[in-house]
Amino acid sequence: MKLVKYLLFIALFAGITVTLLTSCSNDDDEASPIEGYWYEIDEGDYPVNYAMSVFKNGKYASVYTYKSYITKSELKEYVDEALRSNKVSNSSVYIAEKGTYTLKGKKLKLTESTDGDVYYVYVSFQKSNSVMVLEGEDPEEGRMYLQRYTEE
């Protein structure tokens, strides 16, 4: 009987020890702030009415249109379609880029899937990660401001 109590005590002690040794801190990989849907903030410099990009699981796609009647929620569907199938079902929406990305610190590496071209840009976030600023390696390339898309 003492042996059974001793073994139960050891099993209980081991069970408690294992759960206490599990880290209490948040070890889960948090999603990168770049993950999600982004649309270009119209600053009047370009004739594009809407442009949207998606960054998801190391892949990205960008679409644009000149048609003002296409909503952002529709653009979200088209950018998802472009990411999945490399085509868009609406003839007024065009795929600008598609490929893979890696973000290390503030340096974003974009590799296009069509021709393998590699681009590097610097990324910063403003307003609690709701605005992304892309800046080329050459200061003369200027900046691009993207707003995080949330459902309309």
Side-chain angles (χ1 to χ4, degrees):
M1 186 70 174
K2 279 188 174 186
L3 180 62
V4 173
K5 284 183 182 180
Y6 180 72
L7 291 175
L8 283 173
F9 176 75
I10 295 290
L12 180 62
F13 182 77
I16 291 172
T17 304
V18 167
T19 55
L20 288 177
L21 291 176
T22 303
S23 174
C24 294
S25 67
N26 185 1
D27 289 338
D28 297 335
D29 293 332
E30 292 185 23
S32 172
I34 199 170
E35 292 274 324
Y37 298 88
W38 299 88
Y39 63 92
E40 191 171 339
I41 298 173
D42 184 14
E43 295 181 352
D45 294 340
Y46 303 102
V48 173
N49 287 326
Y50 293 110
M52 185 174 284
S53 300
V54 61
F55 293 88
K56 196 183 284 187
N57 301 322
K59 296 180 180 180
Y60 78 96
S62 298
V63 297
Y64 66 94
T65 183
Y66 296 100
K67 307 295 181 185
S68 60
Y69 61 83
I70 295 177
T71 66
K72 290 182 185 85
S73 61
E74 289 174 316
L75 270 182
K76 179 183 179 284
E77 291 176 26
Y78 296 132
V79 78
D80 279 338
E81 186 179 1
L83 190 65
R84 278 191 317 271
S85 64
N86 203 27
K87 63 180 179 176
V88 178
S89 58
N90 186 325
S91 62
S92 297
V93 178
Y94 308 95
I95 297 175
E97 294 179 4
K98 181 181 175 183
T100 59
Y101 75 91
T102 54
L103 179 63
K104 293 195 179 181
K106 292 185 173 206
K107 195 169 191 177
L108 177 64
K109 176 184 176 183
L110 300 168
T111 306
E112 287 190 11
S113 59
T114 53
D115 52 16
D117 285 348
V118 177
Y119 301 97
Y120 292 94
V121 293
Y122 293 97
V123 178
S124 60
F125 296 93
Q126 300 173 353
K127 300 181 182 179
S128 300
N129 294 338
S130 65
V131 174
M132 177 169 50
V133 182
L134 300 176
E135 193 167 359
E137 290 185 304
D138 180 0
E140 291 186 17
E141 293 176 7
R143 292 183 177 150
M144 178 186 290
Y145 293 87
L146 301 172
Q147 178 77 40
R148 184 178 296 278
Y149 172 75
T150 55
E151 299 296 323
E152 294 178 310

